[in-house]
């Protein structure tokens, strides 16, 4: 076979179907043929799969022609972040094999793969295997892993943007480093459609192999159309969800006009509500309207996915469970209920329609309150400018390293110096110090200082030749069952001291409370007493102490790109410009906000103070997303409280926050001048004030549960005997206490605090926000009544204190009063 014959075979396969490979696909084929790794970034449905898959087939054809391939063993690994994508990917990869490499077989291995199929793969491995990062680590933990994986020539990491920013991505980096140790010429390619920091993403994927890394961008004329179902009469005083089901009929009309529509929601409860409302309104859609989310049985999800592919279904209401990589060619339209909160998420969901080269992807936003028209206008602007969010990769998570040490020790063993060099070749551990490495090695060999007397924590020991291995088969079995970094969220029971159960609430919210704090739950004002295992004990609150809001972990925060685009739109409005149907519909609201107060903008920070029967209010609008706002509100309350002891109730949304207290606060003095405001909003002593203002110690304790599980300290149980969340929390809390008392230098404790600050409190973005606020002009306004921007924050707080009926009545009364004042 000639040198160009492999490429000619690929061209012929395309030509027989009347296709012509795109230029970016050829670039990938050429780079891979030369042994170069890289990252391919192209729009959804542009042909990324065949770009890298045919690159792998071309390498195989060339090696076979030269006699370098005997046709046996596993040659290609395809890593996918979701099990749901694996079967669909397997079918796509099998399609060209009959004509190009008929001897090849594509296998599938995930946590759902039966043991019989795994045994068959071990005995007769497929040429290509579609698998997950967890299953790959499990393969690496087998004693004969080096032999089984020695022929792997190429690894393809699909949906790299979904892995890069979390510990699963770190697990992938470590697995790739191990494979390169066995196969130095390994070619690695990542795929992504929605990444804003491509050079950094390539570096994280390839580590120190990035010197030969190629970045390929598919510059196809992929048209993405984003528009909005504009409500006919948006309220000038919006509140969360007030439009909601009022948009039901316009959504039905859109679905009716198209053959197949995907309706995305941001939460599972929202998906359930919309599915039921659609079915109630159109009972004739029974059987052709379906629901899809992660809590449903896999067989039901599979039925829905097959129905989408075949065009049998009229519409599917879904959460993010259908965001990624499954091809549904019949889908003509995508509707997004509420704001997508991020540009990358919007593009990902838009790409579910028109999922083929040359077809238009179209997404229509369905606002659930008036201010989401602003987010829609901002999203359209950001998409046009292709301002996509960047992903930050974790830095040196030691729990993942500890797990990997045991995995490699099981998979044939390691010499300490060799593995250290290998680990440092990953991006995550490029700055790993000798002291940190020695601590991790000592932790798996002796359990560290505090666990040295317990034999079960001597998981890895050197043999006479200095090779570290796992000395006990039982330890090995337990470790293999716990491989992975996915830890499910937990909820805590809320009970009165007499044991009466009130319900469940997010664990992360309870972790922020101190003894004596008041909070609102189920229409009651409660006082937090203590937490024990997975239960928060409370009693009815007395007095007028301020209450903190319920932490709404299920709600996604507004991304920085979308927030900045929203501020740019507001800046246009302040100049009297209202481009697009969204801004024209929002004009009455924005003009009223400007008349009664001022409009926030990229260079203006608006602060409003008001006195009401409830107390003294401060409203601030940084437009930084709800996670930053909860930290910013707590920080401001703490700094004010140092000089004027008082208790605050806090309400937050993506646009700003409210501080309410019973006693007067001289906001006109504290924020009257730029110098005074800067003293409250300074980044000086930020870390200390955040740690003091929030219950950071308890947050770290809760975060430690995840770290303890990943590091192998806590065993989740054998199949059929899984341990409860309460048992896991009790076990991890015990370790946390032991380490604090007897091993204060344990690096996992420091990691827990660092992850709380970086992930739960977004300290980095909080610091950036404070820096931005210092550059904005402060517009301080004393109000007579709530403005359009303040009203949703008041309702957010009332929602936690009142039942649904009482809230509706209260909101209706407030709206009547405000509309009377607003109407000449």
């Amino acid at each position: 076979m000639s040198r160009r014959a492999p490429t000619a075979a690929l061209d012929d396969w395309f030509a027989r179907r009347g296709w012509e490979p795109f230029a970016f696909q050829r670039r990938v084929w050429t780079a891979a043929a030369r042994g170069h790794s890289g990252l391919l970034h192209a729009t959804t449905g542009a042909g990324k799969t065949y770009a890298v898959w045919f690159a792998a087939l071309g390498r195989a054809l060339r090696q076979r022609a030269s006699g370098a391939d005997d046709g046996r063993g596993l040659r290609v690994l395809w890593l996918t972040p979701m099990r749901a994508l694996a079967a669909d990917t397997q079918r796509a990869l099998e399609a060209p094999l009959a004509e190009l490499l008929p001897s090849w077989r594509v296998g599938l291995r995930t946590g759902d793969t039966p043991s019989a199929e795994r045994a068959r793969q071990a005995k007769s491995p497929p040429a290509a295997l579609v698998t997950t990062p967890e299953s790959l680590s499990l393969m690496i933990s087998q004693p004969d892993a080096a032999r089984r994986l020695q022929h792997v020539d190429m690894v393809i990491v699909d949906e790299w943007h979904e892995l890069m920013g979390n510990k699963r991505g770190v697990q992938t980096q470590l697995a790739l480093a191990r494979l390169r140790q066995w196969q130095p010429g390994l070619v690695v390619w990542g795929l992504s459609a929605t990444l804003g920091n491509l050079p950094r993403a390539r570096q994280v994927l390839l580590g120190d192999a990035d010197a030969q890394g190629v970045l390929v961008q598919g510059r196809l004329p992929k048209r993405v159309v984003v528009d909005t179902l504009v409500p006919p009469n948006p309220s000038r005083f919006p509140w969360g969800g007030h439009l909601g089901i009022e948009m039901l009929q316009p959504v039905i009309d859109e679905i009716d006009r198209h053959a197949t529509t995907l309706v995305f929601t941001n939460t599972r409860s929202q998906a359930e509500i919309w599915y039921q409302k659609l079915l109630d309104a159109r009972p004739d859609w029974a059987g052709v309207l379906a629901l899809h989310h992660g809590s449903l049985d896999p067989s039901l999800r599979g039925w829905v996915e097959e129905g989408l592919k075949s065009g049998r279904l009229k519409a599917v209401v879904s959460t993010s469970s259908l965001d990624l990589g499954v091809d549904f060619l019949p889908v003509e339209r995508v509707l997004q209920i509420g704001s997508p909160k991020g540009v990358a998420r919007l593009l990902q969901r838009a790409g579910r329609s028109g999922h083929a080269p040359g077809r238009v992807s179209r997404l229509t936003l369905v606002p659930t309150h008036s201010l989401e028209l602003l987010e829609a206008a901002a999203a359209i602007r950001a998409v046009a400018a292709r301002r996509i969010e960047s992903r930050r990769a974790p830095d040196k998570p030691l729990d993942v390293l500890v797990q990997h040490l045991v995995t490699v020790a099981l998979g044939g063993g390691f010499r300490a110096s060799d593995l250290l060099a290998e680990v440092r070749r990953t991006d995550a551990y490029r700055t790993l110090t000798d002291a940190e490495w020695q601590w991790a090695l000592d932790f798996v060999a002796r359990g560290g200082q505090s666990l040295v007397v317990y034999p079960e924590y001597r998981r890895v020991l050197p043999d006479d030749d200095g090779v570290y291995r796992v000395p006990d088969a039982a330890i090995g079995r337990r470790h293999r069952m716990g491989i992975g970094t996915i830890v499910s969220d937990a909820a805590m029971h809320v009970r009165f001291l007499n044991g009466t159960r009130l319900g469940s609430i997010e664990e992360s919210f309870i972790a922020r409370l101190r003894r004596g704090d008041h909070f609102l739950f189920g229409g009651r004002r409660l006082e937090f007493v203590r937490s024990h295992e997975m239960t928060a004990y409370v009693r009815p609150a007395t007095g007028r102490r301020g209450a903190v809001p319920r932490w709404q972990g299920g709600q996604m925060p507004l991304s920085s790109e979308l927030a900045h685009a929203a501020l740019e739109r507001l800046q246009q409005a302040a100049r009297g410009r209202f481009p697009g149907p969204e801004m024209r519909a929002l004009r009455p609201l924005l003009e009223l906000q400007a008349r009664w107060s001022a409009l926030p903008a990229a260079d203006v920070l608006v602060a409003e103070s008001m006195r009401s029967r409830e107390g003294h209010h401060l409203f601030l609008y940084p437009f930084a997303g709800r996670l930053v706002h909860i930290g910013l509100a707590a920080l401001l309350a703490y700094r004010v409280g140092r000089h004027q002891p008082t208790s605050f109730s806090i309400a937050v949304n993506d646009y700003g926050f409210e501080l309410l207290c019973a006693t007067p606060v001289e906001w006109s003095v504290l924020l009257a001048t730029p110098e005074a405001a800067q003293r409250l909003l300074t980044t000086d002593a930020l870390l200390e004030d955040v740690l003091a203002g929030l219950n950071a110690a308890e947050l770290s304790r809760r975060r430690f549960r995840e770290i303890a599980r990943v590091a192998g300290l806590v065993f989740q149980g054998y199949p059929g005997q899984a341990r409860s969340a309460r048992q896991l929390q009790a076990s991890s809390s015990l370790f946390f206490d032991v380490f604090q008392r007897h091993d204060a230098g344990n690096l996992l404790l420091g990691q827990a605090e660092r992850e709380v600050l970086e992930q739960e409190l977004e300290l980095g973005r909080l610091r950036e926000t404070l820096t931005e606020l210092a550059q904005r002009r402060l517009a301080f306004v004393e109000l007579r009544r709530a403005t359009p921007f303040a009203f949703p924050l008041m309702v957010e707080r009332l929602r936690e204190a009142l039942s649904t009926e009482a809230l509706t009545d209260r909101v209706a009364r407030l709206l009547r009063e405000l509309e009377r004042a607003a109407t000449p």
Side-chain angles (χ1 to χ4, degrees):
M1 188 179 290
S2 68
R3 290 190 64 183
R4 67 172 298 275
T7 303
L10 306 184
D11 288 337
D12 291 345
W13 189 89
F14 273 72
R16 285 193 291 272
R17 285 150 183 81
W19 300 345
E20 172 68 26
F22 295 116
F24 81 86
Q25 292 175 322
R26 291 192 182 278
R27 284 190 61 197
V28 175
W29 298 355
T30 300
R34 293 172 178 168
H36 295 164
S37 299
L39 176 67
L40 169 60
H41 186 266
T43 53
T44 299
K48 294 189 297 297
T49 298
Y50 276 180
V52 291
W53 179 232
F54 275 70
L57 297 181
R59 284 181 61 83
L61 290 169
R62 184 171 283 102
Q63 289 163 357
R64 185 163 294 185
S66 66
D69 175 20
D70 60 6
R72 292 181 297 179
L74 179 61
R75 307 288 301 176
V76 179
L77 279 169
W78 187 290
L79 298 186
T80 175
M82 295 179 66
R83 297 180 191 179
L85 299 180
D88 192 70
T89 300
Q90 181 187 28
R91 286 189 290 269
L93 302 189
E94 285 174 339
L97 293 184
E99 297 178 44
L100 293 175
L101 279 168
S103 62
W104 271 34
R105 178 171 59 89
V106 179
L108 182 64
R109 177 167 178 158
T110 70
D112 296 329
T113 304
S115 56
E117 173 59 19
R118 296 185 189 188
R120 187 167 79 93
Q121 291 175 1
K123 185 176 181 180
S124 177
L129 185 67
V130 180
T131 189
T132 61
E134 294 76 20
S135 291
L136 175 56
S137 290
L138 193 61
M139 294 167 64
I140 290 174
S141 75
Q142 301 303 319
D144 58 348
R147 178 185 60 80
R148 290 191 192 184
L149 299 171
Q150 65 178 330
H151 298 298
V152 173
D153 176 68
M154 189 167 176
V155 179
I156 297 154
V157 185
D158 204 356
E159 308 286 357
W160 176 234
H161 56 276
E162 284 297 315
L163 293 171
M164 172 184 167
N166 55 46
K167 290 180 181 178
R168 297 182 79 203
V170 176
Q171 184 181 16
T172 302
Q173 292 180 53
L174 289 168
L176 292 175
R178 180 94 293 228
L179 292 174
R180 285 195 187 97
Q181 188 69 20
W182 295 328
Q183 178 59 276
L186 184 72
V187 173
V188 176
W189 277 83
L191 303 181
S192 178
T194 51
L195 268 173
N197 49 341
L198 295 177
R200 175 70 182 133
R202 175 186 58 186
Q203 180 183 357
V204 174
L205 175 68
L206 301 180
D208 72 352
D210 190 52
Q212 293 295 316
V214 178
L215 181 59
V216 176
Q217 296 197 58
R219 301 188 181 278
L220 292 175
K222 179 70 171 178
R223 190 164 167 234
V224 179
V225 175
V226 181
D227 57 15
T228 309
L229 279 182
V230 179
N233 296 298
S235 170
R236 288 185 292 184
F237 296 97
W239 51 287
H242 77 277
L243 286 174
I245 299 302
E246 290 184 25
M247 299 296 290
L248 180 64
Q249 190 56 49
V251 167
I252 290 173
D253 294 342
E254 285 296 312
I255 294 173
D256 237 348
R257 281 195 285 268
H258 298 88
T260 305
T261 301
L262 261 177
V263 181
F264 277 111
T265 67
N266 290 339
T267 65
R268 294 176 186 180
S269 60
Q270 197 178 27
E272 295 276 359
I273 291 170
W274 273 87
Y275 171 73
Q276 198 58 57
K277 293 292 184 181
L278 287 169
L279 203 54
D280 290 345
R282 290 296 298 266
D284 57 310
W285 283 353
V288 294
L289 176 69
L291 177 68
H292 193 287
H293 60 65
S295 294
L296 298 176
D297 185 79
S299 61
L300 181 56
R301 295 201 304 269
W303 178 85
V304 174
E305 292 162 17
E306 197 54 48
L308 274 174
K309 288 176 193 172
S310 65
R312 186 176 69 249
L313 294 176
K314 178 71 174 173
V316 174
V317 183
S318 174
T319 60
S320 57
S321 56
L322 287 181
D323 270 7
L324 298 179
V326 184
D327 296 339
F328 301 122
L329 292 180
V331 173
E332 294 180 357
R333 289 296 306 280
V334 173
L335 301 179
Q336 166 67 45
I337 306 296
S339 168
K341 300 299 180 184
V343 183
R345 186 177 298 107
L346 185 153
L347 290 173
Q348 192 74 38
R349 292 181 173 182
R352 299 303 102 212
S353 68
H355 199 282
R359 291 179 60 181
V360 175
S361 292
R362 184 178 176 191
L363 182 143
T364 297
L365 297 163
V366 182
T368 61
H369 64 81
S370 300
L371 281 175
E372 283 189 344
L373 286 166
L374 175 62
E375 292 188 54
I380 291 169
R381 183 184 183 96
V383 167
R386 280 297 193 270
R387 284 158 50 177
I388 303 174
E389 293 85 7
S390 298
R391 303 292 176 102
R392 294 183 178 179
D395 182 43
K396 285 192 293 191
L398 295 175
D399 54 342
V400 184
L401 177 60
V402 164
Q403 183 184 107
H404 186 67
L405 292 180
V406 183
T407 296
V408 176
L410 280 169
F414 64 87
R415 296 184 184 277
S417 58
D418 294 341
L419 187 57
L420 172 59
E422 177 184 318
V423 166
R424 281 177 172 164
R425 285 195 284 270
T426 67
D427 181 82
Y429 300 100
R430 66 194 183 283
T431 62
L432 186 72
T433 66
D434 289 344
E436 289 167 334
W437 167 257
Q438 195 56 50
W439 176 88
L441 196 61
D442 180 66
F443 191 73
V444 295
R446 302 190 311 123
Q449 294 181 19
S450 52
L451 302 178
V452 67
V453 298
Y454 301 101
E456 61 266 36
Y457 297 108
R458 299 175 201 158
R459 291 175 284 172
V460 173
L461 295 173
D463 61 16
D464 294 340
D465 296 323
V467 177
Y468 283 82
R469 305 182 191 277
V470 175
D472 185 274
I475 292 175
R477 285 194 298 271
R478 286 178 48 159
H479 177 79
R480 289 191 178 101
M481 293 183 63
I483 283 178
T485 62
I486 301 174
V487 180
S488 60
D489 296 330
M492 294 185 71
H493 300 301
V494 180
R495 295 181 186 270
F496 282 129
L497 293 173
N498 64 6
T500 302
R501 182 176 174 182
L502 300 176
S504 298
I505 198 169
E506 296 94 335
E507 182 187 10
S508 57
F509 166 74
I510 294 295
R512 285 166 169 76
L513 299 181
R514 300 176 185 274
R515 181 181 178 87
D517 279 352
H518 290 187
F519 67 102
L520 304 164
F521 180 69
R524 300 171 186 255
R525 186 180 291 267
L526 304 172
E527 180 183 332
F528 176 68
V529 178
R530 69 176 186 275
S531 62
H532 180 64
E533 295 180 343
M534 294 303 289
T535 301
Y537 289 96
V538 300
R539 58 182 162 222
T542 58
R544 298 193 62 190
R545 180 181 301 176
V548 299
R550 178 171 176 176
W551 184 259
Q552 300 178 25
Q555 299 191 23
M556 296 175 287
L558 193 68
S559 75
S560 57
E561 282 72 15
L562 211 49
H564 287 142
L567 287 171
E568 290 168 8
R569 289 294 198 187
L570 288 174
Q571 197 153 14
Q572 288 181 313
R575 296 168 181 164
R577 296 173 53 205
F578 298 88
E582 297 83 7
M583 294 299 290
R584 287 194 292 272
L586 201 56
R587 183 170 186 167
L589 183 157
L590 297 179
E591 288 181 339
L592 182 61
Q593 172 70 30
R595 190 163 79 241
W596 283 4
S597 174
L599 282 176
D603 59 351
V604 178
L605 171 64
V606 175
E608 301 168 343
S609 70
M610 185 182 76
R611 182 177 180 180
S612 73
R613 286 172 295 180
E614 296 177 294
H616 301 264
H617 307 254
L618 174 75
F619 303 99
L620 206 67
Y621 308 107
F623 272 75
R626 62 177 56 246
L627 291 184
V628 170
H629 289 160
I630 192 70
L632 192 56
L635 180 70
L636 197 60
Y638 170 74
R639 286 176 171 174
V640 171
R642 283 188 304 189
H643 306 290
Q644 181 180 338
T646 187
S647 296
F648 291 97
S649 294
I650 298 174
V652 302
N653 61 22
D654 279 317
Y655 319 120
F657 61 87
E658 175 199 35
L659 294 180
L660 171 65
C661 62
T663 56
V665 175
E666 294 295 330
W667 294 115
S668 59
V669 175
L670 292 172
L671 295 172
T673 66
E675 294 76 19
Q678 178 59 24
R679 282 194 291 272
L680 280 183
L681 300 174
T682 180
T683 57
D684 294 344
L686 177 60
L687 177 60
E688 295 82 354
D689 288 355
V690 166
L691 293 176
L694 292 165
N695 196 357
E698 185 61 22
L699 286 171
S700 296
R701 178 187 296 276
R702 298 293 169 181
R703 171 63 66 164
F704 188 77
R705 185 189 64 194
E706 173 184 323
I707 292 171
R709 214 285 295 155
V710 173
L713 292 173
V714 176
F715 180 50
Q716 290 188 297
Y718 293 103
Q721 302 173 355
R723 303 174 70 196
S724 67
R726 175 181 298 188
Q727 291 171 316
L728 294 176
Q729 182 60 52
S731 298
S732 63
S733 293
L734 179 61
F735 282 113
F736 187 85
D737 291 338
V738 168
F739 291 157
Q740 276 199 323
R741 292 171 189 163
H742 307 293
D743 188 8
N746 192 296
L747 297 186
L748 296 182
L749 294 177
Q751 181 183 332
E753 181 176 291
R754 189 171 69 249
E755 288 186 8
V756 165
L757 293 171
E758 292 174 355
Q759 298 174 29
E760 294 192 38
L761 302 180
E762 289 199 339
L763 186 67
R765 190 174 171 191
L766 176 57
R767 187 183 299 278
E768 292 169 4
T769 298
L770 288 170
T771 302
E772 288 181 15
L773 296 184
Q775 307 304 315
R776 297 183 196 173
R777 176 176 62 83
L778 180 69
F780 180 80
V781 184
E782 295 188 5
L783 304 176
R784 295 174 57 192
R785 59 186 66 87
T787 62
F789 277 32
F791 184 72
L793 285 166
M794 295 178 66
V795 175
E796 195 73 30
R797 174 171 44 77
L798 291 172
R799 191 191 303 274
E800 299 302 331
L802 302 174
S803 65
T804 302
E805 295 80 7
L807 176 66
T808 302
D809 293 342
R810 182 76 176 275
V811 169
R813 186 170 70 253
L814 288 171
L815 281 173
R816 286 194 298 270
E817 295 171 0
L818 290 171
E819 285 291 352
R820 273 199 304 269
T823 303

